[in-house]
Amino acid sequence: MSKITLTETAKVLLAAKSVIIASHINPDGDAIGSSLALMHTMTKLGKDARVFIDDAIPSIFAFLPGAEKIERPPETITEKLRPDLFVILDASLDRVSRVRELVDAPTLNIDHHVSNDGAADKLYLDADRAATAEIIYELVKEMNAEFDYENALPLYTGIATDSGFFRYANTKPFTMRAAAELMEYGVKPNLVSEATEVKPFAVVKGLGAALSAAEIFHDGLAAGIFLDYPTVKELETTEGFIDEIRVIEGVDVAVLVKCQGENMCRVSMRSKTLDVAKIAMKFGGGGHVRAAGCTLKTSFDEAKKIITEELNRALSEEVA
C-alpha cells in the first residue's frame, strides 16, 4: 500500500481510460452518492466508468441521477473485468464483498474512515472529512472537471447524510461551504431530506414495534434495538432507526443489531463520547470514533450477547 496525496489521486484517476467504482455492502448515502458522483465526473472526462455494489440499493436513493446504472456482481463469476483502475470508495478493500472477486485491476482506495486497513495498492485517506463525498468534491476541482446537477446532487446527498444533515460532530466549516457551493448547481436541500426520509408504511410500523422493544442497559448509558431475522425480512430498510434511540436522555451509545440470515448479523453503533470504532475493529469492522459498525457471523442471540457485553465493558472502562 502506498499513501498518496489528493493531487496524486487526481493524476491516477485522469491516467485511467476505464474505471470500475465500488463501495461497501449495506450502502448508505455517502457510499452511493460518492460513487455516482465520481462515475458522472469520469464519464464527462471521457472515461468508461461503471459502479458495482454487492448489495441492494435502498429505494430512498432512487432519486439520484444514475442510481439505476449501479450494477451487482453476477451470482456466478466466470469472467473477470479488467479496467485500467479499480476504485474503492468509503470503505476498505475487504468491505466490497464479491466485487473484489469480479475485478482484476490496480486498486485505488479513497476513504475518510480512520479504521481503513490500507490493503489497496494506493490509498488516499482524509479522516478529517465528514464524508467521502467531500473528498470527491475536492477531486472534481483537482481534476479540473466541472460540477453540474448530475454530480452535485449525489455529492450533496453523501455529505448531508453522513453529517446527519449537518447535526453530527463531524460537521465542519468545510462541510457547510461545500454543501453551499453544490446548491449553486440546482440542489434543493428540502428535496434531498424529503426523499431520504421517506419510509413505507410497513417500515413506519416496524419502527414503532422496534422502539417499543428497545432496551436500555448499563445504567441508562446505552440503548439498543435488536431485530431478529423475521422482523428484518418485513422491513425494506432500517435507515434512521438508530437515530431514534441515540437521542434518549442520558444515553451515550446507541446500537442497532439486525439479523441478515443464519449466522449473519450487522451491527451499527453511534456514540457521543465512546470510541465505537475501536469496538467495531475488534470484530473486523470499522468506521469513525462516533459512528461505526461491523458484521458478526453468529446467531442473533449470540450477536446480541457479544455486543452488549462489549459495550458494557467499554463503558465501564471509560467511567473508571
Side-chain angles (χ1 to χ4, degrees):
M1 182 270 294
S2 172
K3 288 188 176 181
I4 59 177
T5 65
L6 186 74
T7 298
E8 290 169 333
T9 302
K11 288 179 179 178
V12 170
L13 288 168
L14 288 170
K17 294 182 179 178
S18 60
V19 298
I20 285 180
I21 302 160
S23 193
H24 54 79
I25 56 174
N26 195 25
D28 56 11
D30 190 24
I32 297 165
S34 57
S35 296
L36 289 175
L38 183 59
M39 179 191 76
H40 289 305
T41 301
M42 296 295 281
T43 300
K44 289 179 173 64
L45 289 170
K47 318 292 185 180
D48 179 14
R50 300 165 70 183
V51 176
F52 280 83
I53 295 179
D54 188 16
D55 214 337
I57 305 302
S59 61
I60 57 172
F61 297 113
F63 74 99
L64 293 176
E68 74 284 354
K69 296 181 180 180
I70 297 176
E71 304 174 64
R72 292 186 74 171
E75 289 298 323
T76 303
I77 298 173
T78 58
E79 185 176 353
K80 288 185 178 289
L81 300 178
R82 293 181 170 83
D84 293 334
L85 188 65
F86 181 24
V87 184
I88 301 94
L89 300 180
D90 198 43
S92 301
L93 183 58
D94 63 331
R95 294 201 63 215
V96 301
S97 193
R98 292 184 309 119
V99 185
R100 187 174 183 176
E101 302 170 25
L102 178 67
V103 182
D104 181 14
T107 52
L108 169 64
N109 193 182
I110 301 170
D111 195 10
H112 72 131
H113 295 98
V114 69
S115 58
N116 190 290
D117 64 7
D121 297 324
K122 297 182 186 298
L123 170 66
Y124 179 71
L125 177 68
D126 188 346
D128 288 331
R129 292 293 174 238
T132 296
E134 287 189 1
I135 300 175
I136 303 303
Y137 161 84
E138 292 181 288
L139 282 168
V140 172
K141 295 187 172 188
E142 192 69 29
M143 293 189 292
N144 291 318
E146 295 182 354
F147 288 108
D148 59 18
Y149 186 74
E150 279 195 327
N151 61 9
L153 181 59
L155 286 177
Y156 179 92
T157 301
I159 293 170
T161 53
D162 244 30
S163 65
F165 285 87
F166 316 105
R167 293 179 291 117
Y168 296 162
N170 60 356
T171 303
K172 296 181 173 65
F174 180 90
T175 307
M176 306 299 282
R177 287 194 294 267
E181 182 177 350
L182 293 169
M183 288 175 61
E184 299 288 346
Y185 298 92
V187 175
K188 305 294 184 186
N190 62 306
L191 298 183
V192 174
S193 62
E194 288 167 10
T196 55
E197 289 169 358
V198 166
K199 293 180 177 64
F201 181 56
V203 173
V204 174
K205 289 183 70 177
L207 173 59
L211 290 176
S212 68
E215 301 178 24
I216 297 288
F217 54 101
H218 203 86
D219 296 327
L221 286 175
I225 292 177
F226 306 96
L227 305 175
D228 59 18
Y229 186 60
T231 302
V232 172
K233 277 179 59 178
E234 296 297 318
L235 299 172
E236 179 182 327
T237 180
T238 58
E239 189 76 22
F241 278 31
I242 197 168
D243 294 320
E244 299 294 334
I245 58 172
R246 67 183 291 273
V247 297
I248 296 173
E249 184 178 5
V251 166
D252 179 45
V253 183
V255 60
L256 169 66
V257 177
K258 56 182 181 178
C259 182
Q260 300 293 125
E262 186 177 358
N263 294 330
M264 183 67 69
C265 295
R266 288 179 177 169
V267 179
S268 299
M269 294 174 285
R270 301 288 185 273
S271 77
K272 295 172 183 172
T273 63
L274 188 70
D275 186 347
V276 290
K278 287 183 179 178
I279 296 173
M281 290 171 69
K282 284 187 176 182
F283 302 105
H288 306 285
V289 173
R290 302 288 176 258
C294 59
T295 298
L296 299 179
K297 296 181 179 180
T298 185
S299 68
F300 171 68
D301 289 340
E302 184 65 16
K304 178 180 177 181
K305 180 175 181 290
I306 288 171
I307 204 66
T308 53
E309 287 182 351
E310 188 62 31
L311 285 171
N312 279 326
R313 183 201 58 75
L315 286 166
S316 296
E317 289 181 357
E318 186 180 60
V319 172

